[in-house]
Amino acid sequence: MKKTILLLCAFTFFSCAEMQQIAAQLPQTSGVLGNADIANGLKEALNNGIDKQVSKLTKTDGFFKNEAVKILLPDELKIVDSRLRAMGLSSLADEGLKVLNRAAEDAVKEATPIFVDAVKQMTFNDAKNILMGNQSAATFYLQNTTSNALYVKFNPVIKNSFAKVGADKVWSEIITRYNAIPLVKKVNPDLTDYTTNKAMEGVFKMIAVEEKEIRTNLNARSSDLLKRVFAMQDNKK
């Protein structure tokens, strides 16, 4: 049972040294699979998680053309969007939506190392508890324990990204034009806060995708080492 505790660590971005330390707490396995193999397999799995999933969000259209994480307008701006389109300003409305997603893509690119550092805080006992949970247990744990710290780090990055991708100017024009319409309720949403939360939500969703994939899909285990390490999880079922 103790051996299988390590399996969940692949989704929590432990450093190689930390995984080696955890592996050292376990008795040596008999046969071909030793503790060093387990640690190396977990390192490979976490690298796959970053490369396959989180890194996708940093590319152009990583958010904008991914329906699972695409940032849509907050409720208070949906009326703004519809009024602008009714006034023949669809291109401006489209650009407003795109730049929100561009800011998130840019922010995740800069903030991924911060995210990796934050999730390293999971302890060995945490991993044991997660092992008894469902297929998203690791993701839910990270969301519950790191969201506050991640928000503090992500928020200024998003703010800077707004200026970098021009989102601040686009939305300033959108909101100014909308508020100039007679009799409408004025809006002044905190788009930095909104986009920060949505960017974090997107990161967690992509981690959940990889967690489920490697738990359930034998074909996702792309090397012999991963197959052997995660066979331990299969044998537990």
Side-chain angles (χ1 to χ4, degrees), residues 52-71:
K52 288 182 179 179
Q53 302 299 342
V54 178
S55 64
K56 290 179 181 179
L57 300 178
T58 68
K59 303 181 185 302
T60 300
D61 292 329
F63 274 86
F64 190 61
K65 291 189 177 179
N66 183 341
E67 292 302 320
V69 297
K70 181 178 181 178
I71 299 176

Side-chain angles (χ1 to χ4, degrees), residues 178-212:
Y178 177 78
N179 287 342
I181 299 173
L183 305 179
V184 301
K185 181 180 179 180
K186 308 302 182 186
V187 297
N188 187 28
D190 186 346
L191 288 176
T192 300
D193 173 76
Y194 175 76
T195 307
T196 298
N197 284 308
K198 287 299 182 179
M200 290 169 52
E201 182 181 310
V203 170
F204 287 125
K205 280 186 177 181
M206 298 308 290
I207 291 173
V209 166
E210 186 63 17
E211 178 177 359
K212 182 178 179 180

